[in-house]
Amino acid sequence: MFTGIIEDLGIINRIVKDGGNIHITVNTSLTNELKIDQSVAHNGVCLTVVNIDGSEYTVTAIQETLDKTNLGMLKTKDTVNIERAMKLGDRLDGHIVQGHVDQTAKCIGNTVKDGSWIFTFEYDKALNNITIEKGSITVNGVSLTVVNSELNSFSVAIIPYTYNHTTFKNLDIGDTVNLEFDVIGKYVKRLNDLRH
C-alpha cells in the first residue's frame, strides 16, 4: 500500500529485456534504505526490488505490466516518481493507493493558472473507470484531487512544489501517464453495477 506522496525522483540507469520482461535499474537517494523483496512504486506501479548494488537497485516488470502501464516506454536517463510502501502507523498524507495501475491516459492539456498548472488527461471510457469532482486520482503515482470530471477525461491542479518534485515538470501534451482510480470509488461502482 502507498499514499501517492512521492519521495524522490529516480533516474533510469539501465533497461534490460529478458523474454517478455524488462529489468529496470534505478538510481535514487533512497537506495540505501531499500532491501531486496521490498515493494517500491515507480510512476505508481508497484514493483519488487530484486537487486541492490551501491546507489542502484533493480526491479522487474512483466509483460502484463508493460502492456497496461507506461513503463514499457521508459528509456535510460528518464526519471520516474518513486515511493516506498507506507509504514503502518504513519500519517496517510495522500490517499489509499495500491500501486496497481487501472489504465493509462494521454495528457491533452497543460495550462498555467494563478501560479499553478492545470493538467488535463483523457482516458478510454470502455474500461468503465470513473472520476468524481473533488475525488482522488493517482497520476504516475502522484496522489491528486480531481478538479474537473468528465465522462472520459479529468483535470488536476498541480502546485509548484509538486510540479518541481515530480515528473510533472517533464510532462508534455501527448505523453502517456499511469492512472490508478480511487479504490473506494471502484468498490462503490462495482457494488452499484451488481445491483443493476
Side-chain angles (χ1 to χ4, degrees):
M1 300 295 285
F2 303 90
T3 66
I5 303 300
I6 303 307
E7 295 183 89
D8 196 20
L9 288 174
I11 300 170
I12 305 300
N13 280 357
R14 279 183 308 289
I15 298 172
V16 177
K17 189 159 177 50
D18 181 13
N21 303 334
I22 60 170
H23 305 292
I24 306 167
T25 300
V26 183
N27 185 302
T28 172
S29 63
L30 300 174
T31 301
N32 63 345
E33 300 176 41
L34 300 178
K35 61 181 184 177
I36 291 175
D37 287 340
Q38 194 167 16
S39 296
V40 178
H42 304 76
N43 280 354
V45 182
C46 177
L47 298 172
T48 302
V49 175
V50 297
N51 188 53
I52 298 172
D53 184 10
S55 63
E56 299 178 338
Y57 70 92
T58 302
V59 293
T60 301
I62 63 173
Q63 189 64 54
E64 181 180 357
T65 301
L66 300 176
D67 291 343
K68 294 184 176 178
T69 71
N70 66 5
L71 294 188
M73 301 173 191
L74 290 174
K75 303 178 295 301
T76 55
K77 298 188 181 175
D78 281 351
T79 57
V80 290
N81 294 319
I82 300 289
E83 181 190 359
R84 293 171 294 167
M86 69 174 162
K87 288 190 226 175
L88 197 59
D90 276 0
R91 289 182 181 88
L92 185 60
D93 291 320
H95 71 281
I96 297 170
V97 178
Q98 295 180 300
H100 303 155
V101 170
D102 295 304
Q103 68 183 99
T104 58
K106 291 271 188 216
C107 179
I108 60 168
N110 172 8
T111 58
V112 179
K113 182 177 179 183
D114 300 326
S116 292
W117 289 261
I118 306 295
F119 283 87
T120 302
F121 301 96
E122 185 176 60
Y123 59 93
D124 182 359
K125 65 182 177 184
L127 296 177
N128 293 319
N129 291 305
I130 59 168
T131 59
I132 60 167
E133 198 83 16
K134 305 296 185 276
S136 298
I137 186 77
T138 308
V139 177
N140 273 353
V142 182
S143 173
L144 298 166
T145 301
V146 174
V147 295
N148 183 26
S149 177
E150 302 292 339
L151 186 59
N152 68 325
S153 66
F154 65 93
S155 298
V156 291
I158 306 298
I159 63 172
Y161 180 88
T162 302
Y163 185 86
N164 290 317
H165 290 87
T166 69
T167 58
F168 271 98
K169 65 184 172 208
N170 303 323
L171 192 61
D172 292 320
I173 291 174
D175 285 353
T176 300
V177 297
N178 296 324
L179 299 182
E180 182 180 329
F181 293 82
D182 181 62
V183 66
I184 296 168
K186 288 190 281 190
Y187 277 108
V188 170
K189 183 179 185 312
R190 177 72 174 137
L191 287 170
N192 189 53
D193 290 347
L194 289 173
R195 295 164 104 184
H196 295 89

